Amino acid sequence: MNFKWRHFQSDIILTCIRWYLAYPLSYRNIEEMMLERGIEVDHTTINRWVLKYTPEIEKKFRKHKAPVGTSWRLDETYIKVKGQWKYLYRAVDKQGLTIDFMLSAKRDTKAAKKFFKKAIKNNGTPTTVNIDKSGANNAGIKEYNRGLLHKVKIRQCKYLNNIVESDHRKIKTITNPMKGFQSFKTARIVLAGIEVLSMIRKNQLNYMPLFVKNSVDAFYQLAS
């Protein structure tokens, strides 16, 4: 990651980014926290750092993401963008490890199929996918299965999706203080960063040296 020509050292930039993506804090909260440490940085500058470097962090993380299980739980949750509800598709395996995520303007068969294909491209094909009673998710996976010799088994069991619904709440804990996003692009970038920090906490980064003992060190090692 290139921090050349920045007015602040890379560790200050990365600390601000990590705080914003890992905790329920606003940009102004982080501005105040930095000032308490003798560092004057405007909240708009922190915003620019997050939008510039988060996609690079996600790209690097995906190269080293640990494998997940083949029994998936797929669901979506609501995210407000420009005052309107959009849909964050998410999937975890039966151990709670994050498989993938995708922000969508719509909740329909096309969106469900698109997310399912993305998750498979990045993680391999599951044997079973558990979904709720959503007709769109059911139809999307069935469309994916059409013409395949080895079809993905679809299961609709509400209590089995408790694990992904619980995982939604962890993400929403971070996004709620943000009170919605001003653009779809910004929402997509920030949500990806929040998901990456969550996966690092779940030990889903598989290349860390032995001296890295916790998720905080793992983030800085990844972003260095």
Side-chain angles (χ1 to χ4, degrees):
M1 294 177 62
N2 184 10
F3 298 97
K4 192 175 182 180
W5 310 120
R6 295 289 171 181
H7 296 296
F8 294 86
Q9 295 178 334
S10 61
D11 59 338
I12 294 174
I13 295 173
L14 290 173
T15 295
C16 290
I17 293 171
R18 188 183 67 81
W19 283 351
Y20 186 70
L21 299 177
Y23 306 113
L25 298 169
S26 69
Y27 289 121
R28 290 185 183 275
N29 291 151
I30 298 171
E31 177 184 333
E32 292 177 7
M33 291 165 67
M34 279 290 162
L35 188 59
E36 290 174 0
R37 290 158 175 79
I39 301 169
E40 293 188 33
V41 54
D42 192 78
H43 62 276
T44 59
T45 299
I46 300 170
N47 170 256
R48 289 195 294 270
W49 290 343
V50 169
L51 298 183
K52 175 175 174 56
Y53 290 111
T54 297
E56 296 181 37
I57 293 169
E58 182 196 5
K59 183 178 180 181
K60 193 171 182 182
F61 174 85
R62 286 193 178 273
K63 292 180 180 179
H64 303 285
K65 182 173 178 284
V68 294
T70 58
S71 179
W72 295 4
R73 282 85 168 110
L74 188 154
D75 192 28
E76 65 281 330
T77 189
Y78 296 93
I79 297 291
K80 188 167 284 189
V81 180
K82 295 182 70 174
Q84 296 183 334
W85 291 112
K86 305 301 178 183
Y87 307 94
L88 179 62
Y89 282 84
R90 306 184 66 251
V92 303
D93 68 11
K94 66 179 182 180
Q95 305 301 326
L97 299 180
T98 302
I99 294 162
D100 225 317
F101 51 89
M102 185 191 79
L103 184 65
S104 174
K106 296 182 179 180
R107 183 193 186 201
D108 54 18
T109 300
K110 183 178 179 181
K113 182 181 177 182
K114 182 179 180 181
F115 171 61
F116 194 54
K117 288 178 68 175
K118 177 190 178 186
I120 287 174
K121 179 181 178 181
N122 291 332
N123 299 275
T125 305
T127 55
T128 305
V129 176
N130 194 84
I131 59 176
D132 58 14
K133 298 300 183 180
S134 167
N137 289 340
N138 195 6
I141 299 171
K142 284 183 176 178
E143 275 201 18
Y144 176 85
N145 275 336
R146 189 172 298 157
L148 294 181
L149 180 61
H150 299 290
K151 301 182 188 299
V152 176
K153 180 181 177 181
I154 302 172
R155 184 171 53 195
Q156 292 182 293
C157 182
K158 183 174 177 57
Y159 85 88
L160 288 178
N161 260 22
N162 288 346
I163 189 170
V164 67
E165 291 172 0
S166 176
D167 208 61
H168 288 337
R169 289 192 287 272
K170 296 175 184 177
I171 300 299
K172 297 295 282 289
T173 296
I174 309 299
T175 61
N176 283 342
M178 299 174 185
K179 298 181 180 178
F181 297 94
Q182 296 307 306
S183 75
F184 196 86
K185 179 181 178 181
T186 296
R188 188 170 61 234
I189 290 172
V190 172
L191 289 167
I194 292 170
E195 293 280 8
V196 167
L197 266 292
S198 175
M199 286 187 280
I200 291 175
R201 283 173 169 161
K202 295 178 185 179
N203 296 317
Q204 290 186 246
L205 194 59
N206 69 357
Y207 88 117
M208 288 293 99
L210 292 176
F211 64 80
V212 175
K213 300 298 184 182
N214 56 59
S215 62
V216 175
D217 292 341
F219 171 79
Y220 291 116
Q221 184 71 17
L222 173 71
S224 63

